[in-house]
Amino acid sequence: MIRAVLFDMDGTLLDSEDFITWSFLEASRIVGVEVDEDAIRRNIGRPLEEFSSLVFGGLGREKHLELMRVRAKLVEENWRRMIRVFDDVPEVLGLLRSKGFRLAVASSSKLERIVEYLGYFNILGLFDTVSGVVDGVRGKPYPDVILRALSTMGVGADEAVYVGDREVDCLAARSAGVGFVLVNRNNYRYDQGVCRPDYAVGSLRPLPDLLLYINKK
């Protein structure tokens, strides 16, 4: 019986992936670094340190630090006008809560950033708990943020599903022992050879009925 629904943030709740990509491209342009846009998009969802290693691994330390400082400034100055909540999110979260499901966010973003974003968009209060990267808690594909959310809610892995949009989300769900629902909003070229989802939807709107179907099986 599914009692809890855990959500990825970027690309699942928030329409933020174009902004994330832009922030790295623009920071790279400003500091004079060449970067592969596909590599940026492919690694969204990983913790910032791991993302940076995969995308900017050849940079020297000082250049990398400069790029990260510029990018942090761009993010702080622009995220409020360039990120939005997907239209289906408030409605679906409210419906899930009305049906008795516990809700959580489990993201590779730093915890304080998750709280800031969700608070700004007035959806933070819809979640029972929020789990992000803090000391001792690793981001995806490690299962840490999912396991922390489950522990905080007192929910077993067999009583939860994780909803995300990337292979890294699926891998983290598998490692945590929870089911995975892929939400593929923007025709992202999801590679099922990396990790096969249990179910796939094109938006969050079918999710309540899907969960009720799962619980009737």
Side-chain angles (χ1 to χ4, degrees):
M1 175 73 72
I2 302 300
R3 297 173 50 215
V5 188
L6 285 63
F7 293 89
D8 166 53
M9 183 173 71
D10 293 305
T12 300
L13 300 174
L14 301 185
D15 188 359
S16 54
E17 293 191 358
D18 284 345
F19 168 70
I20 293 170
T21 302
W22 169 84
S23 70
F24 282 108
L25 288 173
E26 183 65 7
S28 299
R29 184 192 66 79
I30 290 171
V31 303
V33 170
E34 291 189 8
V35 64
D36 180 358
E37 180 176 343
D38 286 341
I40 294 173
R41 292 188 179 275
R42 191 166 56 248
N43 288 291
I44 288 174
R46 296 180 181 273
L48 183 57
E49 288 186 6
E50 183 177 345
F51 174 96
S52 297
S53 176
L54 290 168
V55 178
F56 301 105
L59 282 185
R61 182 175 181 275
E62 290 305 318
K63 198 67 171 178
H64 181 263
L65 289 174
E66 180 188 6
L67 189 150
M68 290 298 109
R69 285 194 295 267
V70 170
R71 192 256 172 177
K73 187 171 186 292
L74 289 170
V75 168
E76 187 55 36
E77 291 175 348
N78 293 282
W79 71 264
R80 293 169 184 82
R81 68 179 182 85
M82 294 182 71
I83 294 177
R84 70 179 185 89
V85 179
F86 283 111
D87 293 341
D88 54 2
V89 168
E91 172 191 352
V92 171
L93 294 181
L95 184 56
L96 290 173
R97 286 184 64 87
S98 73
K99 293 182 179 298
F101 290 101
R102 309 281 302 279
L103 304 181
V105 174
S107 166
S108 290
S109 294
K110 291 183 178 180
L111 180 59
E112 59 266 27
R113 180 54 58 89
I114 302 170
V115 171
E116 182 180 23
Y117 280 14
L118 300 184
Y120 179 81
F121 292 113
N122 296 315
I123 59 173
L124 181 62
L126 294 172
F127 297 99
D128 295 279
T129 192
V130 173
S131 178
V133 173
V134 295
D135 288 344
V137 177
R138 301 166 296 180
K140 299 168 289 187
Y142 298 105
D144 300 22
V145 292
I146 296 176
L147 294 175
R148 185 183 180 99
L150 294 175
S151 176
T152 301
M153 291 190 294
V155 173
D158 60 342
E159 300 175 302
V161 295
Y162 186 56
V163 182
D165 67 314
R166 297 283 179 142
E167 295 91 345
V168 71
D169 301 320
C170 182
L171 292 169
R174 291 284 175 261
S175 294
V178 304
F180 178 65
V181 178
L182 169 68
V183 55
N184 198 342
R185 297 180 178 278
N186 298 314
N187 296 316
Y188 169 71
R189 297 191 303 273
Y190 185 94
D191 186 352
Q192 296 209 19
V194 174
C195 187
R196 183 176 294 276
D198 297 297
Y199 301 94
V201 292
S203 76
L204 293 187
R205 287 194 171 88
L207 188 60
D209 287 340
L210 173 61
L211 294 172
L212 293 176
Y213 165 77
I214 293 170
N215 281 344
K216 287 179 180 178
K217 289 177 65 178

